[in-house]
């Protein structure tokens, strides 16, 4: 029985041939993907030689999950705060890490997946405040959060980022969203590199502390695509282990 599973998040904007990048993961959260494309990818995975059943969830707003873990519960919620990107949503799922319906909460993992507003930190913060209940309950947050952690950069790097943002008519870098998430007990891994062609980390997988959940491996994968390199995201992947589980064969 495998005690570890790969989780990945990826904004597929401007990317092609995504199948070869996602085929080795157990839980995949994709942003900016159509329902048709998501179902096509799940069909490809189910017809591979792995003989593992993959299920998928799409929120009809461009976000989707593909997983070979058993889905115990699922919820799609709105992040409409009255302005900004009113189509933003979250997908909140509970999965069984045994890949079966063991009906044992010790084998369950609660995951909050989202893509936040890309333009304004105030909007992103209010979106998260709207989703306080699932954020408080979940054990993992993953997705394109479109926010920065100042701990990732030097003062000179922040200055460079702000100059680039000013040139592109974007707001200066802020960090309220990360602080809000950290207040719920989440921590993010030390910075190992950017997750986008903007040379910033805006895509995250964050684990709640003191929950017997650990990251035992981490990767940032750059898709080999020449399509719109000025606005492209990379894959963020974690190998996650949860202690204290009971298994059923």
């Amino acid at each position: 029985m495998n005690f570890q599973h790969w989780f990945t998040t990826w904004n597929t904007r401007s990317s092609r041939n995504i199948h070869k990048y996602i085929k080795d993961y157990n839980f995949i959260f994709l942003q900016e993907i159509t329902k048709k494309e998501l179902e096509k990818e799940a069909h490809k995975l189910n017809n591979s030689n792995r003989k593992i059943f993959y299920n998928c969830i799409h929120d009809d707003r461009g976000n989707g999950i593909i997983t070979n873990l058993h889905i115990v519960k699922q919820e799609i919620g709105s992040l409409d705060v009255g302005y900004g990107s009113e189509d933003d949503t979250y997908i909140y799922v509970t999965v069984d890490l045994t890949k079966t319906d063991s009906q044992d909460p010790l084998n369950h993992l609660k995951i909050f997946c989202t893509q936040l507003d890309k333009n304004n930190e105030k909007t992103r913060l209010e979106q998260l405040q709207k989703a306080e209940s699932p954020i408080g309950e979940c054990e993992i947050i993953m997705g394109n959060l479109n926010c920065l952690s100042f701990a990732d950069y030097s003062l000179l790097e922040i200055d460079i980022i702000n100059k680039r943002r000013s040139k592109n008519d974007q707001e200066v870098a802020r960090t309220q969203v990360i602080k809000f998430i950290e207040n719920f007990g989440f921590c993010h891994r030390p910075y190992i590199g950017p997750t986008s062609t903007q040379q910033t980390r805006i895509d995250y997988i964050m684990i709640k502390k003191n929950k017997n959940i650990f990251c035992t491996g981490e990767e940032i994968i750059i898709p080999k695509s020449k399509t719109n390199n000025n606005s492209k995201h990379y894959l963020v992947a974690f190998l996650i282990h949860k202690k204290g589980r009971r298994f059923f064969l």
Side-chain angles (χ1 to χ4, degrees), residues 155-169:
L155 292 176
L156 177 59
E157 287 169 329
I158 289 293
D159 185 55
I160 292 172
I161 290 169
N162 282 333
K163 286 180 179 177
R164 182 171 63 243
R165 289 188 166 202
S166 177
K167 184 178 179 180
N168 294 330
D169 294 322

Side-chain angles (χ1 to χ4, degrees), residues 55-201:
N55 203 349
C56 64
I57 302 170
H58 195 269
D59 66 357
D60 294 322
R61 292 293 186 271
N63 300 312
I65 290 169
I66 304 175
T67 182
N68 61 15
L69 303 174
H70 176 76
I71 299 173
V72 179
K73 295 180 181 178
Q74 66 183 68
E75 171 188 325
I76 297 174
S78 171
L79 294 178
D80 178 6
V81 295
Y83 55 90
S85 299
E86 297 185 3
D87 286 342
D88 290 335
T89 65
Y90 66 82
I91 306 176
Y92 180 37
V93 297
T94 301
V95 297
D96 193 315
L97 295 172
T98 67
K99 300 183 181 179
T100 66
D101 185 9
S102 70
Q103 299 186 11
D104 188 338
L106 289 177
N107 297 327
H108 293 171
L109 192 64
K110 298 177 180 179
I111 310 162
F112 180 87
C113 304
T114 193
Q115 177 177 208
L116 298 179
D117 182 82
K118 65 180 180 180
N119 295 315
N120 185 270
E121 186 83 351
K122 180 176 181 292
T123 303
R124 291 188 286 271
L125 183 59
E126 291 189 15
Q127 287 178 325
L128 289 182
Q129 290 170 341
K130 190 176 177 68
E132 279 194 46
S133 179
I135 292 173
E137 295 174 354
C138 73
E139 298 157 293
I140 294 177
I141 290 177
M142 57 194 300
N144 175 17
L145 305 184
N146 277 312
C147 62
L148 304 184
S149 169
F150 285 174
D152 293 344
Y153 315 96
S154 67
L155 292 176
L156 177 59
E157 287 169 329
I158 289 293
D159 185 55
I160 292 172
I161 290 169
N162 282 333
K163 286 180 179 177
R164 182 171 63 243
R165 289 188 166 202
S166 177
K167 184 178 179 180
N168 294 330
D169 294 322
Q170 296 174 307
E171 67 171 2
V172 298
R174 304 182 189 279
T175 190
Q176 291 99 318
V177 166
I178 289 294
K179 289 180 179 178
F180 179 85
I181 294 172
E182 290 174 339
N183 286 337
F184 283 86
F186 288 93
C187 59
H188 50 287
R189 300 276 291 178
Y191 182 78
I192 63 172
T195 67
S196 72
T197 47
Q198 297 299 310
Q199 297 305 303
T200 53
R201 171 159 69 167

